[in-house]
Amino acid sequence: SQELEQSPQSLIVQEGKNLTINCTSSKTLYGLYWYKQKYGEGLIFLMMLQKGGEEKSHEKITAKLDEKKQQSSLHITASQPSHAGIYLCGAGNFGNEKLTFGTGTRLTIIP
Amino acid sequence: SQTIHQWPATLVQPVGSPLSLECTVEGTSNPNLYWYRQAAGRGLQLLFYSVGIGQISSEVPQNLSASRPQDRQFILSSKKLLLSDSGFYLCAWKTGVMSYGYTFGSGTRLTVV
């Protein structure tokens, strides 16, 4: 089965600073999803990457998928308190019938 | 518009009692449906998924079962709850378009006491 490892597990960043979260897969990624979760709430879809070398941006968040399609990174520029939460990467299987998740990264933004 | 409803939001149940959590989707037909569990301090674990009425795939052997009696209804059940069943349960559905991702409900926090 596919395993996703996220690093770091937790991150404390001063407001305004940049940060990066990594997601590494044990197998080739057919679809890599990034989600954000506020504590005790559902997941909010951020973006999805499928092609090797692909990069997508939304507001101040940029996600990349490496050429070998086994690692993805999520980069936040000029962090804000609204960025705080748990970030989860998820991998779709070949037929995209199911999505398995990494262990998550808890992001705290301090003033 | 497409929406997903999950209830209840919070549930406290004694050990050995039954469980029924319901999830319904509106605004779409024949969706793939999913149940996930998030234990304290841990990631999301896929429990069950369904690609159609009466079709259930189990990912993890456990004390839970799932059913899909109608196209847009997905139910998570247990006959006798264990302490280890405590957690945050999330229902999700997926469109046919891969890039749109999976849409999640607001979750049910289950505490077994």
Side-chain angles (χ1 to χ4, degrees), chain B:
Chain B
S1 62
Q2 299 149 338
T3 57
I4 181 169
H5 301 280
Q6 191 179 340
W7 67 92
T10 305
L11 194 58
V12 180
Q13 293 284 98
V15 169
S17 64
L19 173 73
S20 180
L21 300 181
E22 189 166 344
C23 172
T24 58
V25 181
E26 295 179 359
T28 186
S29 59
N30 197 31
N32 282 11
L33 296 172
Y34 304 84
W35 278 112
Y36 286 87
R37 176 171 62 197
Q38 188 175 36
R42 301 181 64 180
L44 280 171
Q45 180 185 39
L46 177 62
L47 302 176
F48 302 94
Y49 71 97
S50 171
V51 299
I53 295 174
Q55 300 178 61
I56 308 294
S57 296
S58 174
E59 289 295 297
V60 181
Q62 62 218 322
N63 186 41
L64 303 169
S65 62
S67 62
R68 184 170 178 174
Q70 300 179 42
D71 181 44
R72 289 170 288 179
Q73 184 185 30
F74 204 23
I75 298 172
L76 182 70
S77 304
S78 173
K79 292 182 179 179
K80 290 184 178 182
L81 284 169
L82 306 172
L83 287 174
S84 58
D85 292 323
S86 294
F88 190 53
Y89 289 82
L90 286 159
C91 178
W93 71 280
K94 182 180 76 69
T95 70
V97 180
M98 192 173 179
S99 60
Y100 288 177
Y102 293 61
T103 302
F104 285 80
S106 54
T108 296
R109 183 160 302 281
L110 171 67
T111 303
V112 182
V113 296

Side-chain angles (χ1 to χ4, degrees), chain A residues 24-83:
Chain A
T24 302
S25 171
S26 58
K27 298 181 180 180
T28 299
L29 293 162
Y30 293 103
L32 190 286
Y33 298 77
W34 281 102
Y35 284 85
K36 179 186 173 184
Q37 182 185 28
K38 291 285 191 181
Y39 178 74
E41 299 180 10
L43 275 64
I44 300 170
F45 173 67
L46 296 176
M47 55 192 85
M48 182 263 183
L49 304 167
Q50 192 174 358
K51 300 177 182 177
E54 187 174 8
E55 179 176 322
K56 288 186 178 178
S57 294
H58 177 66
E59 297 180 345
K60 295 184 178 181
I61 300 177
T62 300
K64 301 178 184 179
L65 182 62
D66 73 340
E67 290 289 344
K68 293 184 178 180
K69 295 173 63 176
Q70 283 193 273
Q71 188 169 26
S72 178
S73 61
L74 186 82
H75 184 77
I76 298 177
T77 304
S79 58
Q80 302 170 350
S82 60
H83 290 130

Side-chain angles (χ1 to χ4, degrees), chain A residues 9-23:
Chain A
Q9 291 186 359
S10 65
L11 193 55
I12 301 174
V13 175
Q14 190 172 26
E15 184 177 351
K17 299 294 186 181
N18 303 336
L19 63 104
T20 299
I21 298 170
N22 294 302
C23 175

